[in-house]
Amino acid sequence: MAIQGIDLSIIWGVIIAFGLMMYVIMDGFDLGLGILFALIEDSRERDVMMNTVAPVWDGNETWLILGGAALYGAFPLAYAVILEALYLPLVLVLAGLIFRGVAFEFRFKAEAHRRHVWDKAFIGGSIVATFFQGVAIGTYISGIPVVDRQFAGGALDWLAPFPLLCGVGLLLTYALLGSTWLLIKTEGMLESRMRHYSRPLTYLLALVIVLICAWTAWIHADIAQRWLAGSHWMRSLLLAVLAVGAVVMIQKALRKRHSHLPFIGVAGLVFLGYLGLAISIWPNIVPPGISLWQAASPPSSQLFALIGALFIIPVILVYTFWSYHVFRGKVKVGDAYH
């Protein structure tokens, strides 16, 4: 919908995409820590890993809430259809996030001989939440059947090979975000171990990205057209070259023992994948057949919500920047839990 030349639906689409991208990157690395937790046995190193995100992990999830609330307010039809189609995966995501969140707080309060229980909850919650986020994304890309503005699929449509591969891909993505985050925040043996893990994780993630792209083009002729028809292949080639460049940058930065560049490279790779997803489904908000404008709420509702968002989003950005600034620097063994 447009008001005096301003297309509110596109503005809200950008806001939702921005919020979800921020969530994937920022909550991705602390979910990645939970995935990597299974590879670390030393309790002191596990303490350090949790302390690197203890001051910020709950704030990172603000972006998910923003994205969900914006979808509900600006595109209620899309909200209803997507949630009905992805009900079970999203319930499992929430269950995983609950276990992960409870483990954060209870682990430091537990007696030493019981701490392993909360370690397992942290690992399990992180893996479950991450995997089913990926399954939800894969199901979304596969397309959601809609008839008469109602979800027309089955409750287990998500239980298919392509969404499950996307779940594995997101596990690798978050694990790599977590390992490169620890290069920034830790030192000594833990940092060296994360540098060692980051190299194969980068190659595995690149392989899964190639598989997902090839599979998507194979099963969806319309998406293949958006990638390759006419001059679109030049845009796709540019994205592919930038993705290869990001992988090369990550590996080079790891060899030269940079602390920040590997994480920046992984975040860039995630952004390129996110941009590729946007190109693949545009202008639909519920693939393959419901566009932004078909799913939009009335212009007055979008405008009213946008006024509030213009106040809230800068506050979230300032708070996020300030919290990371205050808790910058390396975390050492023995540092207190924040």
Side-chain angles (χ1 to χ4, degrees):
M1 302 294 179
I3 295 181
Q4 296 181 348
I6 300 174
D7 195 323
L8 295 175
S9 293
I10 291 180
I11 293 173
W12 272 111
V14 171
I15 290 173
I16 292 169
F18 174 73
L20 293 179
M21 185 190 70
M22 291 292 288
Y23 171 77
V24 167
I25 292 175
M26 301 185 73
D27 203 41
F29 67 73
D30 62 55
L31 282 167
L33 297 190
I35 297 167
L36 294 167
F37 231 56
L39 304 177
I40 304 298
E41 296 182 357
D42 189 293
S43 62
R44 294 174 302 173
E45 291 187 341
R46 286 184 168 184
D47 290 345
V48 170
M49 291 172 70
M50 296 195 80
N51 279 334
T52 65
V53 295
V56 297
W57 72 271
D58 46 356
N60 292 340
E61 294 182 349
T62 303
W63 295 105
L64 180 62
I65 297 169
L66 173 67
L71 183 66
Y72 176 77
F75 304 103
L77 174 61
Y79 181 89
V81 170
I82 291 171
L83 259 67
E84 186 175 359
L86 302 176
Y87 182 79
L88 286 175
L90 293 180
V91 166
L92 291 169
V93 168
L94 290 175
L97 292 175
I98 290 169
F99 271 93
R100 191 274 303 261
V102 170
F104 251 112
E105 303 300 334
F106 278 65
R107 181 179 181 276
F108 286 97
K109 303 293 184 181
E111 298 176 0
H113 68 282
R114 294 186 182 275
R115 186 169 293 180
H116 70 94
V117 174
W118 300 111
D119 285 347
K120 291 180 176 64
F122 185 57
I123 295 168
S126 299
I127 291 174
V128 168
T130 300
F131 179 74
F132 284 101
Q133 283 180 25
V135 168
I137 293 170
T139 306
Y140 180 79
I141 296 171
S142 297
I144 299 175
V146 178
V147 176
D148 294 331
R149 299 170 65 89
Q150 299 287 331
F151 173 61
L156 297 178
D157 285 358
W158 55 270
L159 194 60
F162 180 76
L164 296 178
L165 176 63
C166 291
V168 173
L170 200 63
L171 284 171
L172 293 171
T173 302
Y174 283 4
L176 184 56
L177 281 168
S179 65
T180 51
W181 166 257
L182 290 173
L183 299 182
I184 300 173
K185 299 295 292 183
T186 64
E187 57 188 12
M189 287 300 298
L190 182 57
E191 180 188 0
S192 297
R193 193 174 291 114
M194 290 303 132
R195 197 175 300 278
H196 174 73
Y197 291 152
S198 296
R199 293 190 180 97
L201 280 172
T202 304
Y203 288 129
L204 284 172
L205 177 57
L207 175 61
V208 171
I209 290 172
V210 171
L211 289 174
I212 289 174
C213 289
W215 198 335
T216 301
W218 179 54
I219 62 177
H220 294 293
D222 56 332
I223 293 178
Q225 285 289 317
R226 292 191 184 100
W227 289 355
L228 303 173
S231 61
H232 292 172
W233 69 268
M234 298 177 65
R235 180 182 60 195
S236 301
L237 179 61
L238 176 60
L239 287 177
V241 169
L242 290 174
V244 171
V247 171
V248 171
M249 170 190 164
I250 294 165
Q251 293 292 353
K252 186 175 180 180
L254 289 170
R255 287 195 300 271
K256 292 190 174 182
R257 305 188 67 81
H258 285 290
S259 58
H260 290 68
L261 282 181
F263 182 81
I264 294 171
V266 177
L269 189 59
V270 171
F271 172 75
L272 290 171
Y274 202 74
L275 186 59
L277 171 61
I279 292 170
S280 299
I281 66 173
W282 176 262
N284 296 322
I285 193 170
V286 182
I290 298 181
S291 70
L292 289 168
W293 302 278
Q294 290 172 325
S297 60
S300 57
S301 298
Q302 289 188 332
L303 182 60
F304 178 78
L306 182 61
I307 293 171
L310 292 178
F311 286 98
I312 293 172
I313 293 174
V315 170
I316 298 173
L317 286 170
V318 170
Y319 165 81
T320 300
F321 173 80
W322 183 248
S323 62
Y324 278 87
H325 175 73
V326 168
F327 295 101
R328 67 192 182 278
K330 299 280 188 178
V331 177
K332 300 176 176 62
V333 174
D335 283 354
Y337 175 65
H338 299 290

